[in-house]
Amino acid sequence: ALPGLWFNASEVHALLSMQHMLSNLDAGMLSGHIKPLQARLKALLGSADHSAEEVEKRLRIVQATKRTVSSKYFETIATATLSRRQIRLQHYSRQTGEESERTVSPQLLTYYRDNWYLDAWCHLRNDIRRFAIDAIRHVELTGDKAKDVSQAKLKESLESGYGIFSGSKVKWAKLRFTPERARWVAVEQWHPQQKGHIDPDGSYLLEIPYTDDRELLMDILKHGADVEVIAPDSLRGRARDEIGKMAVRYTLS
């Protein structure tokens, strides 16, 4: 190895993330490929002045909200996605508590916040939908060829809004963070298209696009009294209502 050769923060995170993901994949259709990849990643991590064992011992990635995915279902979904075949699945909606059967054409497998999602064309809704793979209760391949959706349409539907929720009707949220919280938030990326600036009083004004307010609202509320929703009125109202419910729950009897 070259003396002093090392990786930057993004490269280290990428290598460790890949290694961590591979080590957590159960045996399945990828089992024959996982070990060579892990060996290659280990060699890359140890290609500097420090051994791979020392790197693994001194650096770690913490997963806080990972949900368990059935290796059997993941294998079937991955096979369908790569071989361009439709699948029939039984999906559990956590929002409604109900199950539904869908026939979908897989487009992408997405790994987001330590969990796997299937982005697919839903033949029931005749539109793009995103399914949490851990919420899929049954899946099987069909004999039909998958419908292909253009990359432009996928990008428009899946990347326009905030977080994991897809959609095409974009709104813009305007948030003001206190000077104290601005020290953290001002250097964070909430969305690739976000806009932000520091006001004269030290507070931070952040503007971000969203199509569904559920995940955005959760991320706003975790900042407590250090953030205020300025616009739109609909999002401000949702935050106010949720804070009101929280206040009732924490009111001393």
Side-chain angles (χ1 to χ4, degrees):
L2 295 175
L5 178 64
W6 187 236
F7 305 101
N8 63 37
S10 296
E11 291 167 339
V12 168
H13 183 266
L15 287 171
L16 289 175
S17 294
M18 286 188 287
Q19 186 183 51
H20 189 78
M21 287 168 61
L22 289 172
S23 65
N24 280 278
L25 277 178
D26 294 323
M29 72 165 190
L30 299 176
S31 59
H33 305 283
I34 288 176
K35 288 185 178 179
L37 283 172
Q38 287 178 313
R40 178 61 178 156
L41 288 171
K42 191 170 184 178
L44 284 171
L45 284 170
S47 63
D49 291 341
H50 314 285
S51 69
E53 289 74 17
E54 186 67 16
V55 173
E56 291 174 355
K57 186 169 67 175
R58 301 301 177 185
L59 299 174
R60 66 176 181 145
I61 293 178
V62 178
Q63 292 181 310
T65 56
K66 179 183 176 181
R67 300 187 296 269
T68 302
V69 172
S70 165
S71 60
K72 178 176 66 175
Y73 295 160
F74 185 88
E75 178 181 342
T76 302
I77 292 167
T79 298
T81 303
L82 296 174
S83 62
R84 312 307 305 127
R85 293 175 62 186
Q86 293 183 22
I87 54 176
R88 187 177 298 108
L89 57 82
Q90 196 79 19
H91 181 258
Y92 171 69
S93 170
R94 290 190 172 92
Q95 185 177 7
T96 64
E98 299 176 348
E99 291 188 11
S100 63
E101 185 175 289
R102 311 283 186 96
T103 297
V104 304
S105 290
Q107 305 298 320
L108 297 168
L109 285 172
T110 299
Y111 192 69
Y112 174 75
R113 289 190 173 184
D114 294 328
N115 290 290
W116 285 101
Y117 296 85
L118 169 65
D119 300 325
W121 179 267
C122 177
H123 294 276
L124 176 65
R125 304 302 183 195
N126 202 34
D127 202 354
I128 298 168
R129 290 291 186 269
R130 176 169 278 162
F131 302 93
I133 295 182
D134 62 280
I136 292 176
R137 300 294 170 82
H138 179 74
V139 62
E140 60 186 36
L141 291 167
T142 74
D144 298 320
K145 180 177 173 60
K147 171 185 173 70
D148 282 321
V149 179
S150 71
Q151 290 297 308
K153 184 172 179 61
L154 287 172
K155 185 178 179 67
E156 178 187 3
S157 177
L158 301 173
E159 299 181 22
S160 298
Y162 180 81
I164 199 62
F165 292 102
S166 60
S168 56
K169 297 180 180 179
V170 179
K171 300 178 182 178
W172 280 81
K174 185 179 291 186
L175 314 173
R176 178 182 287 119
F177 294 86
T178 62
E180 293 75 20
R181 192 53 55 95
R183 298 165 193 161
W184 285 271
V185 181
V187 294
E188 295 175 353
Q189 177 176 287
W190 288 40
H191 192 278
Q193 298 174 16
Q194 71 183 43
K195 306 169 188 176
H197 66 266
I198 300 289
D199 283 338
D201 64 354
S203 60
Y204 180 64
L205 193 67
L206 175 65
E207 296 181 66
I208 46 177
Y210 71 99
T211 57
D212 185 301
D213 64 18
R214 283 173 286 177
E215 185 176 358
L216 176 58
L217 192 60
M218 288 190 290
D219 285 342
I220 290 171
L221 292 177
K222 75 180 183 182
H223 290 279
D226 285 312
V227 63
E228 178 186 2
V229 178
I230 304 301
D233 289 340
S234 57
L235 182 61
R236 184 179 175 88
R238 286 268 288 132
R240 182 178 57 246
D241 292 345
E242 199 66 27
I243 292 168
K245 294 176 185 176
M246 293 166 62
V248 170
R249 188 173 295 276
Y250 284 93
T251 298
L252 296 176
S253 56

